[in-house]
Each structure stands twice: as C-alpha cells, then as structure tokens.
Amino acid sequence: MSQHNADALKAAFAAADAGDPGPLVALYSDDMTWAGFTLDGSLRLYSKGEFLEAFGVLAKLDESRNEVVDCEVIDDELVVAKVRAYRRLGSEELDITMVMTHRFVDGVVTRGGDLVPSSFEKFWATVGIAA
C-alpha cells in the first residue's frame, strides 16, 4: 500500500504542475492538519483549506514548479518526499529541495509536515511578497 501512496503523491504533484490541482486536492483529507512554514520561515499548523490557500501566493510569481524527485516509504502509512521547488520573480530565483512528510490513512493524507532550507525565507523577503 505504501508504494501506491508514494506513486499517488508523485502523480498528484505532476498533475498540479501541469495545471490540474484536482488530484492533489483530493489526496489530502478534509480534516487534515499540516505542520508547515510561512513565507518568513516560521512554522504553524494549517487546516486543509489554509494549506491549499497558501499555494495561492505562487500565482504572484513569474514561474513556479514543484517536482517530487524521490520518495521514501516507511512502513504502511508514511511517505517522505523530497520535492524540488523552483520559484522565480524577475531575476530572483529560488531552486531548493524541501522535505515533506505524509501520513496516509485509507489512501489520503491525514497529517503532514515540511521543512525548507533558510534560502526559502530569504527569497520571499527579497521579492517582497507576503501571504
């Protein structure tokens, strides 16, 4: 089951990058909580709606991509994904690998979290975009 979850995660991110967010939205449980970061690099808990709303900031950029480059499957429920995140606004670029953890229950993500390198918040501070 875990490899199936990893494959679903990769496919959902690929679809979102191609302009179809449906599979990614469906992959996250409606009552999911996510321990994530803000644009200034601080951490907070997000509901599914808040988590998906935060992706709206990407529309303010000239270019953005998220690609799952590797997944590690742990036991039956956990998938750790290394995600290449590319962002560009004007001449400012961010090209990082972030780590996202996912707990799957019955084929959907119920809990998760991510961590980014410090260049993430430096990029957002430089381009002057806040959520």
Side-chain angles (χ1 to χ4, degrees):
M1 181 58 111
S2 292
Q3 187 57 49
H4 173 74
N5 292 337
D7 294 342
L9 185 70
K10 289 177 187 177
F13 268 89
D17 254 8
D20 179 10
L24 189 59
V25 171
L27 192 63
Y28 294 104
S29 169
D30 288 340
D31 63 351
M32 171 203 82
T33 54
W34 191 270
F37 49 87
T38 63
L39 297 182
D40 69 5
S42 59
L43 297 173
R44 65 164 282 202
L45 286 179
Y46 292 89
S47 67
K48 177 181 180 174
E50 293 167 329
F51 178 74
L52 295 173
E53 186 177 293
F55 278 108
V57 74
L58 299 180
K60 298 177 182 181
L61 299 175
D62 295 328
E63 191 175 356
S64 71
R65 292 187 302 278
N66 294 302
E67 176 192 4
V68 177
V69 294
D70 190 33
C71 283
E72 182 176 348
V73 174
I74 302 166
D75 296 328
D76 289 332
E77 294 183 344
L78 304 178
V79 176
V80 179
K82 291 193 317 189
V83 178
R84 179 177 177 230
Y86 178 80
R87 313 283 185 259
R88 185 181 63 78
L89 183 63
S91 64
E92 296 295 327
E93 291 182 307
L94 176 69
D95 193 352
I96 60 169
T97 299
M98 58 189 276
V99 176
M100 299 179 77
T101 58
H102 304 80
R103 183 178 79 179
F104 282 82
V105 176
D106 297 328
V108 295
V109 177
T110 60
R111 302 282 181 267
D114 49 36
L115 198 56
V116 295
S118 62
S119 56
F120 176 86
E121 57 259 29
K122 290 175 187 169
F123 169 80
W124 292 104
T126 299
V127 299
I129 294 177

